[in-house]
Amino acid sequence: MAKIISKKDKKFQNLVENFPTIDLIPFKRILNNSGEYIELVEDGYLQIMELPSKDTYSLGEDEVNRTLINWYGWLSRFSEDFTIHTTKLPTDTTNQINYQKSCLNQVRNEIKNCTDSRLLNQLRDREQLLLEEINVEGLIRNKIYNVEFFAFLFGKTKRELDETVRKSKIYGNNDFVPREISREKKIQILQQHNNSNEKL
């Protein structure tokens, strides 16, 4: 397991241990540099960038055309070594769950200090509703997958990859700028692309 993540990185060690197939993919490890590049077995480095996507069905004709022009503009200017992959990853509902938990803590504090029986019943109803919402968000995170687009950028050296990543950002515009992703998400992507039993 240490091939991918240092043992010092406790936060993600358990995640890697849950993905036994990750050892089979041609990557040595995820580096601890600022971009957390992926070191390849046969020399070179990889960075995974998230490509922002839109629900084009909800956009007007002008917005769709602008999005296509911006995407085409990026593709024509950015000629470095890269490939594009799509994958389905679990929906990230962390922010929603954290917000609902903070509301739940507030409601529970109000319950402790409440002396009005009618208000107390309302607070308990609110508490139950929040617990149900937290449960639903947890189910969404575990069961519903989003299709996402990623650019796999390559470089022979870290410095070369730095330059490729920089160009991928500046060749975009406000409507289309590739973004770095978390270490955890990189592990999810690597695991999915190596496991034929995963949802792709």
Side-chain angles (χ1 to χ4, degrees):
M1 295 303 168
K3 282 193 257 179
I4 295 292
I5 282 185
S6 163
K7 289 182 180 175
K8 293 176 186 174
D9 195 348
K10 299 292 183 188
K11 186 174 181 183
F12 297 108
Q13 190 65 37
N14 290 335
L15 182 62
V16 175
E17 286 169 0
N18 290 329
F19 291 155
T21 57
I22 206 162
D23 278 339
L24 302 175
I25 42 187
F27 307 105
K28 285 185 184 176
R29 60 195 170 113
I30 298 176
L31 302 177
N32 289 320
N33 65 342
S34 61
E36 296 186 311
Y37 294 160
I38 299 162
E39 188 175 0
L40 303 175
V41 170
E42 294 183 5
D43 297 323
Y45 299 89
L46 163 70
Q47 176 63 305
I48 303 175
M49 303 287 284
E50 183 177 31
L51 300 175
S53 58
K54 294 183 177 181
D55 178 8
T56 52
Y57 292 107
S58 67
L59 300 178
E61 186 177 344
D62 288 344
E63 291 171 306
V64 169
N65 289 336
R66 187 175 65 245
T67 299
L68 291 173
I69 288 167
N70 290 333
W71 170 235
Y72 176 77
W74 185 84
L75 280 174
S76 5
R77 296 177 70 198
F78 187 71
S79 58
E80 278 66 19
D81 189 11
F82 76 99
T83 59
I84 293 176
H85 295 270
T86 62
T87 191
K88 288 185 177 180
L89 295 177
T91 305
D92 186 2
T93 58
T94 305
N95 290 338
Q96 293 91 325
I97 290 172
N98 288 342
Y99 174 72
Q100 288 163 350
K101 283 182 176 178
S102 70
C103 291
L104 181 62
N105 289 336
Q106 185 179 347
V107 167
R108 286 178 169 169
N109 285 334
E110 289 178 30
I111 287 174
K112 288 178 188 174
N113 301 322
C114 184
T115 55
D116 183 323
S117 62
R118 191 169 68 92
L119 180 58
L120 185 61
N121 287 334
Q122 289 175 347
L123 288 169
R124 286 188 175 143
D125 286 344
R126 175 78 176 134
E127 178 187 34
Q128 189 57 42
L129 182 63
L130 284 166
L131 287 169
E132 289 170 9
E133 287 175 355
I134 290 168
N135 185 49
V136 167
E137 293 296 344
L139 291 172
I140 289 171
R141 181 169 57 192
N142 293 331
K143 300 291 183 185
I144 298 178
Y145 285 66
N146 284 333
V147 175
E148 297 183 50
F149 299 84
F150 299 94
F152 283 37
L153 310 181
F154 300 93
K156 292 180 182 176
T157 66
K158 286 183 265 187
R159 181 170 289 182
E160 183 181 309
L161 188 51
D162 284 341
E163 183 63 12
T164 301
V165 168
R166 185 187 72 79
K167 287 179 180 176
S168 78
K169 292 177 180 177
I170 64 167
Y171 288 168
N173 53 47
N174 291 334
D175 190 55
F176 182 88
V177 180
R179 300 184 288 250
E180 273 125 350
I181 61 174
S182 69
R183 189 183 193 101
E184 181 179 17
K185 201 162 195 175
K186 286 177 186 173
I187 292 170
Q188 285 181 312
I189 292 166
L190 295 176
Q191 189 266 343
Q192 280 202 348
H193 276 271
N194 191 59
N195 186 351
S196 59
N197 294 323
E198 280 289 313
K199 245 185 209 185
L200 289 175

